[in-house]
Amino acid sequence: MFRNFKMVSRVVFGRGCFQQLRDILHPVRNKTGSFMIFIVDDVFKSSPLNRKIPLHDGDTMLWANVDEEPTTRYVDTLVDKIRFFSQNLPGGIIGIGGGSTMDLAKAVSLMLTNQGFSADYQGWDLVNHPGIYHAGIPTLAGTGTEVSRTTVLCGPDKKLGINSDHTVFDQIVLDPELIMDAPSDQRFYTGMDCYIHCVESLAGTFLNTFSKSYGEKALQLCREVFLEHGSKRGIEIEEKLMMASYCGGMSIAYSQVGICHALSYGLSFVLGIHHGIGNCIAFNVLDEYYPEGVAEFRKMMDTNQIRLPENITADITPENFEKMINVALVLEPLWENALGKKWKNTMTREKIKELYQRM
Ligand code: NAD
Ligand code: ZN
């Protein structure tokens, strides 16, 4: 069976297109007759972007703190806040921020219409009802969250996405101006998430021409941004980065990521290391699996003057090693994509531990 996957319904792209948000939301407000909730990364509290958000009377702005990556507990708290604020469902949830904030918006939209707690839905296709209208507006580029069918959350016992067709955004607004001022390190780490999506997708056993076409395009754009342009910034370069993220996300939508992502989830769950930098740390020890990709990644690090933290697992207790290995092993489709159906024959707990010990 071929996967019949859901895509984002509407996309607007271009410098300054954020200004169209008022018009974009107008029909949604008319149809639902309800208010909007804006979930916005609190890094923008005192930025000009804050003043450009088209708030109407009755709308609510929730500042998201993403110092820690989104947890199921945080999602449930936001949902409780919205329910406390009004007995009526909002007309839409608009997430403005990096992958973390956009994921919060997706998860909140789903949990307003589905019973129970968000941790109940971590997994594949467990969501019963469509969420309410949700729009994503990235302020960092690389995760591909804007096009993906998942919202990645740290739960009580695992880091795992709520993967479902209902998770996909109804609308995305891709305005390269919003990513212009991202700090260089963060821009690099999130950008490398995209680069690694492409390498893992293109080297994977799930690859098909659909994924390959998007993956190759995204890879080419990453090379232009991080090798040819180096540490230079500019609106046209950010446009490329934004499209790299989109295409990288489309590539994995019809294939899968691989070993680096599985290991990075463990790092994030146990050590609280954010996804982008965690991927970089994990990818840097994966020469054995992605030799060309890792060599090129190191060139990109040099060109962009990035130094990764070292010996991050030096003080980890044996219990925490076990936890990290458990979290990594939950992600079976990732291992299968990387190593084929018989992946368990080669990827043992000892091998995973050895890889973690090298980080
Ligand atoms: P992020 O959203 O975690 O943000 C990283 C930091 O950058 C935060 O401190 C944030 O406040 C700050 N920031 C965001 N935009 C900024 C801007 N324009 N200027 C200054 N600071 C800014 O970073 P990310 O790498 O975009 O997202 C990582 C998250 O995305 C993780 O939680 C990961 O699990 C998730 N993710 C989701 C998917 C998916 O398909 N749903 C895919 C990959 C990663
Ligand atoms: Zn990723």
Side-chain angles (χ1 to χ4, degrees), residues 41 43-44 66 69-70 98-101 103 106 139-140 143-145 148 150-152 159 178 181-183 186 190 193 197 274-275:
D41 189 321
V43 81
F44 296 111
V66 296
E69 290 192 338
S100 295
T101 310
D103 273 355
K106 287 177 173 182
T139 63
L140 285 171
T143 63
T145 310
S148 78
T150 189
T151 158
V152 183
K159 177 176 179 181
L178 303 187
D181 299 325
Q186 185 61 56
T190 304
D193 190 18
H197 289 163
H274 279 234
H275 187 70

Side-chain angles (χ1 to χ4, degrees), residues 19-128:
Q19 287 166 23
Q20 267 170 250
L21 185 59
R22 185 181 299 281
D23 294 343
I24 288 169
L25 296 180
H26 185 71
V28 185
R29 291 182 189 278
N30 275 354
K31 190 170 157 199
T32 61
S34 195
F35 58 95
M36 295 285 158
I37 302 276
F38 293 86
I39 300 182
V40 186
D41 189 321
D42 66 7
V43 81
F44 296 111
K45 249 186 191 168
S46 49
S47 84
L49 175 68
N50 178 4
R51 292 187 289 281
K52 290 188 202 154
I53 295 173
L55 278 180
H56 284 199
D57 282 349
D59 288 353
T60 293
M61 180 103 113
L62 295 176
W63 292 109
N65 184 279
V66 296
D67 291 347
E68 279 178 30
E69 290 192 338
T71 60
T72 52
R73 200 169 347 120
Y74 195 31
V75 170
D76 296 337
T77 311
L78 289 175
V79 171
D80 285 346
K81 254 193 201 167
I82 295 170
R83 291 213 172 105
F84 181 74
F85 171 70
S86 168
Q87 284 182 332
N88 299 325
L89 280 180
I93 306 288
I94 321 301
I96 306 177
S100 295
T101 310
M102 288 192 285
D103 273 355
L104 284 171
K106 287 177 173 182
V108 165
S109 148
L110 294 174
M111 292 316 300
L112 282 166
T113 53
N114 286 277
Q115 302 265 317
F117 300 100
S118 49
D120 305 339
Y121 297 95
Q122 284 182 285
W124 281 271
D125 301 304
L126 304 173
V127 179
N128 302 314

Side-chain angles (χ1 to χ4, degrees), residues 107-325:
V108 165
S109 148
L110 294 174
M111 292 316 300
L112 282 166
T113 53
N114 286 277
Q115 302 265 317
F117 300 100
S118 49
D120 305 339
Y121 297 95
Q122 284 182 285
W124 281 271
D125 301 304
L126 304 173
V127 179
N128 302 314
H129 306 291
I132 57 172
Y133 173 94
H134 48 301
I137 307 181
T139 63
L140 285 171
T143 63
T145 310
E146 63 277 21
V147 288
S148 78
R149 74 189 295 273
T150 189
T151 158
V152 183
L153 302 174
C154 283
D157 52 10
K158 52 186 178 280
K159 177 176 179 181
L160 185 62
I162 301 180
N163 296 265
S164 83
D165 282 353
H166 302 309
T167 311
V168 179
F169 280 123
D170 297 293
Q171 168 83 56
I172 54 175
V173 177
L174 305 180
D175 183 346
E177 275 186 359
L178 303 187
I179 66 170
M180 275 296 287
D181 299 325
S184 305
D185 285 16
Q186 185 61 56
R187 172 181 180 268
F188 182 82
Y189 297 138
T190 304
M192 284 304 104
D193 190 18
C194 173
Y195 178 75
I196 296 166
H197 289 163
C198 300
V199 172
E200 294 192 311
S201 170
L202 292 169
T205 60
F206 293 0
L207 190 66
N208 53 53
T209 308
F210 184 102
S211 292
K212 190 164 180 269
S213 309
Y214 279 108
E216 285 175 347
K217 185 66 201 175
L219 201 62
Q220 177 213 326
L221 289 167
C222 285
R223 286 180 178 140
E224 288 176 25
V225 171
F226 293 109
L227 287 176
E228 287 171 30
H229 297 300
S231 48
K232 254 199 278 162
R233 304 278 285 263
I235 198 75
E236 278 152 28
I237 303 173
E238 304 316 298
E239 282 182 349
K240 287 184 188 176
L241 186 53
M242 215 155 210
M243 284 317 297
S245 176
Y246 180 95
C247 293
M250 288 299 289
S251 178
I252 50 176
Y254 219 176
S255 60
Q256 195 34 284
V257 284
I259 299 175
C260 176
H261 273 74
L263 296 175
S264 163
Y265 273 37
L267 290 180
S268 163
F269 188 79
V270 170
L271 296 174
I273 295 178
H274 279 234
H275 187 70
I277 188 169
N279 277 352
C280 290
I281 293 168
F283 199 56
N284 203 27
V285 305
L286 293 179
D287 312 67
E288 193 180 337
Y289 302 97
Y290 307 108
E292 288 162 17
V294 173
E296 189 169 56
F297 160 74
R298 291 190 186 129
K299 259 194 228 155
M300 290 178 175
M301 278 209 297
D302 284 348
T303 311
N304 290 272
Q305 287 143 24
I306 297 288
R307 275 192 67 106
L308 293 176
E310 288 170 6
N311 297 323
I312 56 156
T313 55
D315 299 325
I316 292 190
T317 61
E319 295 76 46
N320 274 342
F321 262 124
E322 292 308 302
K323 241 193 236 173
M324 278 201 310
I325 296 166

